[in-house]
Amino acid sequence: MKTIKEKKKEHQRLRKSAKTRRVTQRKPSSGPVCRLCLQEPGDPEKLGEFLQKDNLGVHYFCLILSSKLPQRGQSNRGFHGFLPEDIKKEAARASRKICFVCKKKGAAIHCQKDHCVRNFHLPCGQERGCLSQFFGEYKSFCGKHRPTQDIKRGNKGEESCVLCCEDLSQASVENIQSPCCSQTIYHRKCIQKYAHTSAKHFFKCPQCNNREEFPQEMLRMGIHIPDRRWCLVLCATCGSHGTHKDCSSLRSNSKKWECEECAPSTSATDYTPENSSDIPCCSSTFHPEEHFCRDTGLEENPGPSWTDWPGPSLLEKPESSGSRRSCSWRSKGVKITKCCRKK
């Protein structure tokens, strides 16, 4: 006759074995999946661009947030200096780690809090309130150990996001508070969209235009702020339309470009426009020309100095190979899975 204690132990063992069986069962995907989170491309605002080369696909954010993935190559090799063989090794390591959210294998990100053993897929972690920081060592934290804010809610009629004018979420992790201008509260998704469209050099408090405390606090709270260059070129024929060099895949030394309306009229001239294909809209959320610095000396500093970030001029300098934790690197222009046409 088994005692109550023995019955409990057996019950726990059976439950554990059942979970292990469920972990190995995955629904087959009809399209490409990220090697580091085993999920489809999804929303680029949450996961970054989906980068693909030689049957190897990864989310941009999964790439830079993976806990043990080194960056050993130059910026023009592999995926922004992350070599395919290293990505495959990291995927093999992650295949032994179980996500604490979905209970499935392949969790490449682990909580950086000391003694915490939680691992998670990036999409799963976002659903469960995990937070990743896009500066310094690019740390990630589970919902229990993530950086927090003491958000003070106002009166019932005042609880709306300034950016979208809709009611604030009841869940505090979906809101974010400004450190300036009377500590205004926004939706996290609204601030993230604002950061992606304004980029580093134009990102400031929507209310008081604060450029110091506001960006630093948003970085600490996991907002991704790309460092992007905007180079606008006007149509050489009409001068009334323009495009960013990256949006139309122009070379860095290009001086001439023609819009869709004027390009056909140049067949009789000696000038051939570089953009032979359809021209996408310049309001695309992701086409980063970014510069990232991984710094290991940030243990006592909650965030980098906003004015100390490298300026756009540094993007022109060639990069040298080095480790992921100490190397500066930038993103090359790559095709965006979601693009628009100029109206």
Side-chain angles (χ1 to χ4, degrees):
M1 194 78 181
K2 291 183 179 179
T3 64
I4 295 176
K5 193 173 183 180
E6 289 174 339
K7 286 182 179 179
K8 282 184 178 180
K9 282 186 178 180
E10 175 137 12
H11 181 63
Q12 289 175 353
R13 184 182 61 79
L14 291 173
R15 285 184 63 187
K16 188 174 181 181
S17 62
K19 283 182 180 180
T20 306
R21 285 195 299 270
R22 286 199 299 270
V23 161
T24 58
Q25 296 173 359
R26 289 188 173 274
K27 293 181 180 179
S29 175
S30 57
V33 295
C34 174
R35 184 66 69 90
L36 296 173
C37 74
L38 306 178
Q39 298 200 28
E40 296 180 351
D43 185 358
E45 285 195 357
K46 294 182 178 180
L47 305 173
E49 301 173 52
F50 189 76
L51 312 176
Q52 200 166 8
K53 186 185 294 184
D54 298 330
N55 296 321
L56 179 62
V58 288
H59 291 118
Y60 180 56
F61 289 171
C62 289
L63 188 73
I64 62 178
L65 295 172
S66 283
S67 299
K68 300 292 183 180
L69 179 60
Q71 185 194 20
R72 300 187 300 114
Q74 295 183 351
S75 58
N76 60 351
R77 292 191 59 199
F79 297 91
H80 315 315
F82 292 93
L83 305 181
E85 55 268 30
D86 291 334
I87 295 174
K88 292 174 182 177
K89 287 180 182 178
E90 174 67 358
R93 182 196 69 84
S95 67
R96 300 187 295 271
K97 304 294 181 180
I98 296 177
C99 175
F100 82 96
V101 180
C102 68
K103 311 302 180 186
K104 295 180 180 179
K105 292 183 178 180
I109 303 174
H110 72 260
C111 178
Q112 295 289 323
K113 179 69 175 178
D114 292 342
H115 309 303
C116 183
V117 296
R118 284 182 166 182
N119 298 280
F120 53 91
H121 303 109
L122 179 60
C124 295
Q126 291 173 343
E127 292 176 4
R128 190 59 71 88
C130 298
L131 182 146
S132 297
Q133 296 176 328
F134 296 90
F135 70 90
E137 295 183 60
Y138 286 60
K139 294 182 176 181
S140 296
F141 302 91
C142 67
K144 184 178 178 180
H145 300 122
R146 58 174 282 166
T148 58
Q149 292 179 315
D150 183 18
I151 297 180
K152 298 175 182 178
R153 305 294 290 267
N155 298 327
K156 200 70 175 175
E158 299 175 357
E159 293 184 351
S160 62
C161 174
V162 174
L163 295 177
C164 68
C165 299
E166 295 183 2
D167 292 340
L168 293 170
S169 173
Q170 294 299 316
S172 60
V173 295
E174 296 179 10
N175 300 325
I176 193 166
Q177 183 171 283
S178 170
C180 49
C181 62
S182 302
Q183 299 184 325
T184 306
I185 304 174
Y186 307 91
H187 288 127
R188 169 177 285 275
K189 62 181 181 181
C190 293
I191 287 291
Q192 185 60 85
K193 187 179 289 290
Y194 169 50
H196 283 155
T197 54
S198 60
K200 170 196 159 184
H201 300 284
F202 297 95
F203 186 65
K204 56 187 178 181
C205 176
Q207 295 258 87
C208 66
N209 295 332
N210 184 294
R211 290 179 179 269
E212 288 294 329
E213 296 176 356
F214 183 79
Q216 288 187 34
E217 178 64 6
M218 297 303 105
L219 283 171
R220 186 183 76 88
M221 292 305 297
I223 297 299
H224 174 244
I225 309 172
D227 186 3
R228 188 182 295 125
R229 294 184 302 166
W230 302 108
C231 299
L232 191 66
V233 180
L234 295 178
C235 176
T237 301
C238 67
S240 61
H241 296 99
T243 184
H244 295 120
K245 287 185 176 181
D246 288 338
C247 291
S248 291
S249 302
L250 301 178
R251 292 191 294 268
S252 59
N253 59 350
S254 299
K255 303 255 185 215
K256 289 185 178 181
W257 168 86
E258 289 197 332
C259 63
E260 284 181 323
E261 297 174 3
C262 300
S265 64
T266 62
S267 56
T269 68
D270 294 333
Y271 167 64
T272 302
E274 294 182 47
N275 53 312
S276 58
S277 59
D278 292 337
I279 301 162
C281 171
C282 294
S283 61
S284 191
T285 302
F286 283 99
H287 199 99
E289 190 77 18
E290 303 178 17
H291 185 89
F292 295 92
C293 295
R294 298 188 184 278
D295 187 0
T296 57
L298 295 172
E299 296 300 327
E300 298 181 359
N301 186 1
S305 171
W306 193 242
T307 54
D308 289 343
W309 275 29
S313 60
L314 293 180
L315 296 173
E316 302 291 347
K317 296 180 180 180
E319 304 289 347
S320 60
S321 60
S323 67
R324 182 187 180 198
R325 301 291 179 182
S326 61
C327 172
S328 298
W329 58 284
R330 70 179 178 90
S331 303
K332 293 288 185 183
V334 291
K335 280 190 177 180
I336 307 170
T337 55
K338 179 181 178 182
C339 60
C340 308
R341 287 175 59 88
K342 179 171 70 66
K343 297 180 179 179

